[in-house]
Amino acid sequence: ILKPGGKSRGRGIKCFRSYEKMMQHMRKAHARQWVVQKYIENPLLIHRKKFDIRQWVLVTSWNPLTVWLYAEPYIRFPASDFTFENLCNRYAHLSNNSVAKHLKKASNMY
């Protein structure tokens, strides 16, 4: 998974099967900073959907370590069923609401 630095709402995120293709894309793109993540090979699914858990934390001191956790994390689901067959399907791989709202097929949603 390749994410351009400084962007939000799923803009510019790409999935690649090979390191070479990812590097080619990075050389052609205008972004200078990237976040690269390795995709989990066997993600936990709920009703054929992958999900992410967001937990807000605040670190107020390193010594002694003081961490505050927001009491209520939240879970986000993509709009389409998960599959590795089509890495270009943003609706199966991204859980951003700003991406999912563009999906036309309501039959694939809950």
Side-chain angles (χ1 to χ4, degrees):
I1 302 172
L2 181 66
K3 301 176 181 184
K7 290 196 175 183
S8 60
R9 300 184 315 252
R11 292 177 294 165
I13 295 176
K14 304 279 184 196
C15 296
F16 294 92
R17 292 190 187 278
S18 76
Y19 174 79
E20 291 79 19
K21 296 253 187 217
M22 181 182 69
M23 292 304 293
Q24 286 175 4
H25 177 79
M26 289 171 65
R27 285 186 204 102
K28 290 190 285 186
H30 298 290
R32 294 182 184 211
Q33 294 180 340
W34 301 92
V35 174
V36 179
Q37 296 175 306
K38 184 179 186 313
Y39 218 130
I40 297 172
E41 285 96 0
N42 190 17
L44 179 62
L45 304 177
I46 297 176
H47 297 285
R48 295 184 306 277
K49 305 272 192 287
K50 72 172 228 183
F51 60 94
D52 62 41
I53 302 172
R54 301 289 173 115
Q55 173 66 59
W56 296 97
V57 299
L58 173 65
V59 178
T60 57
S61 176
W62 293 106
N63 192 9
L65 181 61
T66 307
V67 179
W68 301 85
L69 296 174
Y70 187 71
E72 298 178 18
Y74 63 95
I75 299 174
R76 299 187 318 175
F77 292 89
S80 295
D81 291 350
F82 174 82
T83 176
F84 272 124
E85 298 304 315
N86 184 358
L87 287 178
C88 295
N89 182 358
R90 300 170 57 80
Y91 305 112
H93 298 281
L94 302 180
S95 59
N96 306 63
N97 290 334
S98 57
V99 172
K101 71 182 180 183
H102 298 290
L103 181 64
K104 301 286 188 227
K105 292 184 348 184
S107 63
N108 209 11
M109 310 250 318
Y110 289 115

